[in-house]
Amino acid sequence: MIDSPPQYDNEHNYITLDANFNHSFYTRTLPPVPADCPTPMGVAGRNDLPDLDILAKSLLSREKFKPDQRGTSVLFPFMAQHFTHMFIKTDMKRGPQFQWGGHGLDVSHIYGRDKHDEDLLRSFRDGKFKLQTINNEEWPLHNKDVNMKLNFFDFVPVMENNSFALGHAFFNNFPGLFMFSTIWMREHNRVCNIMKQEHPEWDDERLYQTGKLIVLGKYLKMVNARVYHK
Ligand code: HEM
């Protein structure tokens, strides 16, 4: 059972009101390892941690391609990565005990973290995202035309042609995250086109908000379908 209100946050190993009410905190069900504990993982854990290079090489490196037995592909982990970044959002600037998300499945990773960012991505016409056409295909706008605040890994060279305006500041770092955001933005606009035909009297705001609800519904249905059906 998970205690409610939660027992701990990362800074306290006793109950605080903040653990329940301060939504910028991650809470935890187990107390942190005491600061004066001589072993890094607690007295029941190992004295030392394995070398990361050895761990990565022995667990992750492959000599040759092995197809997944369930027939899945790299699209699946990218989908999971896109999904989980919707609600697991560590605020690294403040510290690993803080988070900046909305605590739920809110499609903010597609639409933007707050109204300011959402508005930057909107066209304010027919409820749609502002997208650009490249080779007859719809793509997110280059960020030079939008000026959103983006986060890149230090080792990723930031150039005009790899910086796109996406709902999550981190998503330009990975092709799969960029791809899934693009697909969902296209889907939102497709849904808006259909709604506009069905409800010509709806204004931009209603089409946008309803499109967002529908995209969330589709996202949840897809995730459930993957979990519960073979
Ligand atoms: C190409 C493979 C991947 C790489 C290189 C990668 C890299 C990273 C890095 C560097 C971080 C930040 C860690 C930190 O500073 O604490 C991170 C966090 C995270 N990753 Fe991945 N990741 C990959 C795949 C995935 C997948 C497949 C998933 C989901 C199934 C995933 C979900 C997450 C989540 C939820 C976080 C935490 C984000 C947060 O705390 O704000 N990642 N990843």
Side-chain angles (χ1 to χ4, degrees), residues 11-12 17 34 65 67-68 70 81 132 142-143 151 182 188 190:
E11 289 181 343
H12 305 91
L17 270 185
F65 175 70
D68 183 273
R70 290 155 299 184
Q81 191 181 20
Q132 62 176 325
H142 284 95
N143 196 42
N151 292 337
T182 304
H188 172 91
R190 189 189 72 86

Side-chain angles (χ1 to χ4, degrees), residues 205-218:
E205 178 67 10
R206 183 158 187 185
L207 289 166
Y208 172 77
Q209 298 297 349
T210 312
K212 199 173 162 187
L213 275 176
I214 290 172
V215 162
L216 173 60
K218 295 183 95 165

Side-chain angles (χ1 to χ4, degrees), residues 67-85:
D68 183 273
Q69 289 178 353
R70 290 155 299 184
T72 185
S73 75
V74 75
L75 289 182
F76 183 53
F78 270 134
M79 188 269 147
Q81 191 181 20
H82 189 257
F83 178 71
T84 49
H85 276 276

Side-chain angles (χ1 to χ4, degrees), residues 26 76-78 80-82 84-85 88-92 100 153 168 170 174:
Y26 278 121
F76 183 53
F78 270 134
Q81 191 181 20
H82 189 257
T84 49
H85 276 276
I88 304 180
K89 293 175 161 172
T90 305
D91 192 340
M92 289 303 180
W100 54 273
F153 286 131
H168 194 302
F170 177 74
F174 288 88

Side-chain angles (χ1 to χ4, degrees), residues 61-115:
S61 59
R62 293 277 182 278
E63 301 285 309
K64 60 176 188 184
F65 175 70
K66 278 202 269 180
D68 183 273
Q69 289 178 353
R70 290 155 299 184
T72 185
S73 75
V74 75
L75 289 182
F76 183 53
F78 270 134
M79 188 269 147
Q81 191 181 20
H82 189 257
F83 178 71
T84 49
H85 276 276
M86 171 168 24
F87 48 86
I88 304 180
K89 293 175 161 172
T90 305
D91 192 340
M92 289 303 180
K93 287 206 185 76
R94 293 178 76 192
Q97 67 270 48
F98 293 103
Q99 72 90 41
W100 54 273
H103 284 268
L105 305 180
D106 55 9
V107 280
S108 57
H109 62 326
I110 301 169
Y111 289 83
R113 62 180 291 169
D114 53 25
K115 176 143 173 49

